[in-house]
Amino acid sequence: MAKYRNALPQMSGEMFLTDGGIETCLIFHDGLDLPYFAAFTLLDRDAGRQALRDYFGRYARLAVDGGHGFILESPTWRASADWGEKLGYDAEAMARVNRDAIALMAELRERYETPASKFVISGCLGPRGDGYDPGAPMDAGEARAYHSAQIGAFAEAGADMVTAITMTNVPEATGLALAARDAGMPCAISFTTETDGRLPSGEALGAAVAAVDAATGDGPAYYMINCAHPSHFEDAVTAGGAWLERVRGVRANASTKSHAELDEAETLDEGDPHDLGRRLRALTRIMPNLTVFGGCCGTDHRHVTTIRDACVQARAA
């Protein structure tokens, strides 16, 4: 049963953490095989589910120790129809996997949540195509239809919200937001950017937020930025604009490398956790509603710890 679907606590201005780069952590640190970066495959075996419990537990404790909220982002970034087909999962199996992922998040909430640390369960969705390359984007209607099955499974399983991670283009983000509204689910849209602060499809970040809002009647609960180093989008943010008020979260990459460079890398670039914390702290000064903090590719609990501590200092200043 959804607990916060009708009143997301991260909208109140309280500080919320989320996890780091789940796929890079599980592959490079835990030595797990994730075909197509599909962490959802771990749900099909006991050892895999335990690996996910261990992974999320590290971050959950960071939130509880600091008295902060936490967003449990389900390990389902790749758990949509096309990716499932590549891995031998039919529609029924994909619906089961998405429900199982939310059930695991509910188990973790039951274990870790405290009155001071609210745990929001979010069903995570990724792009239909590659997260670094938009290819030939769907139109909004196609995206609405494509993402509806996964969103429906999350709604049925009791997720509080859905979060679209690493969105590369406006039409897919628009369709996904409409599909979430169809299912009665609040959603967050998280765009990724290239090193120039623009989406992989070329849209300016602020223009992308404005376009999705215009097409959906301000449908998303809020927006985020992920899978980019702060140095990639700092100029876009510094330029200002009303769109910044709609952005509540950042899940930054550890590395300053471009998507193309990361795609070709054979080793994990963990960057500088302390520099990442300082950069996120600086962003809080110019992004008035920034309350959700986590990591993306290359980050782990060390990075999220430094981000937490730096942003706590910023909020106390």
Side-chain angles (χ1 to χ4, degrees):
M1 181 70 70
K3 188 172 183 178
Y4 299 114
R5 190 179 296 178
N6 296 321
L8 297 177
Q10 65 267 42
M11 303 299 289
S12 70
E14 298 177 36
M15 181 172 169
F16 273 71
L17 300 179
T18 188
D19 60 301
I22 182 170
E23 294 87 5
T24 53
C25 279
L26 294 172
I27 292 170
F28 290 97
H29 292 316
D30 296 347
L32 297 173
D33 180 31
L34 301 182
Y36 296 109
F37 255 40
F40 76 82
T41 58
L42 297 175
L43 293 161
D44 281 337
R45 55 187 188 273
D46 290 343
R49 289 192 295 275
Q50 188 56 50
L52 290 169
R53 291 186 188 98
D54 293 342
Y55 169 80
F56 283 106
R58 299 171 198 139
Y59 299 95
R61 287 187 289 272
L62 289 178
V64 172
D65 289 349
H68 308 299
F70 189 74
I71 298 176
L72 284 159
E73 202 71 69
S74 64
T76 49
W77 183 65
R78 286 293 203 217
S80 62
D82 286 6
W83 295 102
E85 184 178 0
K86 292 176 185 290
L87 291 160
Y89 290 74
D90 61 16
E92 182 178 346
M94 291 310 301
R96 172 187 57 78
V97 161
N98 281 296
R99 291 193 300 267
D100 287 351
I102 299 305
L104 181 62
M105 299 299 99
E107 174 193 319
L108 291 164
R109 174 160 69 187
E110 180 67 22
R111 178 176 179 182
Y112 291 106
E113 187 176 47
T114 72
S117 297
K118 299 179 179 69
F119 275 53
V120 176
I121 295 175
S122 174
C124 180
L125 302 95
R128 184 175 189 174
D130 189 278
Y132 289 170
D133 181 1
M138 299 177 284
D139 63 33
E142 291 174 308
R144 188 179 195 170
Y146 178 78
H147 289 293
S148 63
Q150 192 176 12
I151 292 172
F154 292 147
E156 179 184 348
D160 296 308
M161 63 178 294
V162 298
T163 303
I165 295 287
T166 324
M167 289 290 104
T168 63
N169 64 90
V170 166
E172 185 168 16
T174 298
L176 200 150
L178 292 172
R181 187 174 66 189
D182 294 341
M185 294 288 283
C187 80
I189 298 292
S190 187
F191 286 116
T192 186
T193 77
E194 298 293 352
T195 57
D196 61 0
R198 291 178 172 270
L199 275 59
S201 53
E203 293 103 337
L205 190 52
V209 169
V212 175
D213 269 353
T216 63
D218 294 348
Y222 59 91
Y223 292 84
M224 296 176 58
I225 304 168
N226 84 289
C227 208
H229 191 268
S231 62
H232 299 169
F233 57 84
E234 281 170 344
D235 286 348
V237 169
T238 302
W243 66 277
L244 290 176
E245 297 180 5
R246 295 282 281 135
V247 182
R248 286 191 174 270
V250 172
R251 297 188 61 158
N253 278 357
S255 174
T256 60
K257 292 179 179 177
S258 69
H259 288 156
E261 290 171 322
L262 290 175
D263 228 7
E264 296 175 359
E266 296 182 359
T267 58
L268 186 64
D269 184 352
E270 298 179 341
D272 182 341
H274 293 286
D275 177 67
L276 193 62
R278 287 190 292 269
R279 289 179 181 272
L280 266 293
R281 177 177 178 171
L283 289 179
T284 65
R285 300 190 183 106
I286 51 178
M287 301 176 76
N289 294 326
L290 198 59
T291 58
V292 179
F293 303 93
C296 204
C297 295
T299 62
D300 55 42
H301 63 285
R302 297 169 301 165
H303 299 77
V304 176
T305 300
T306 61
I307 290 169
R308 178 198 66 179
D309 294 347
C311 293
V312 165
Q313 293 170 6
R315 290 166 68 88

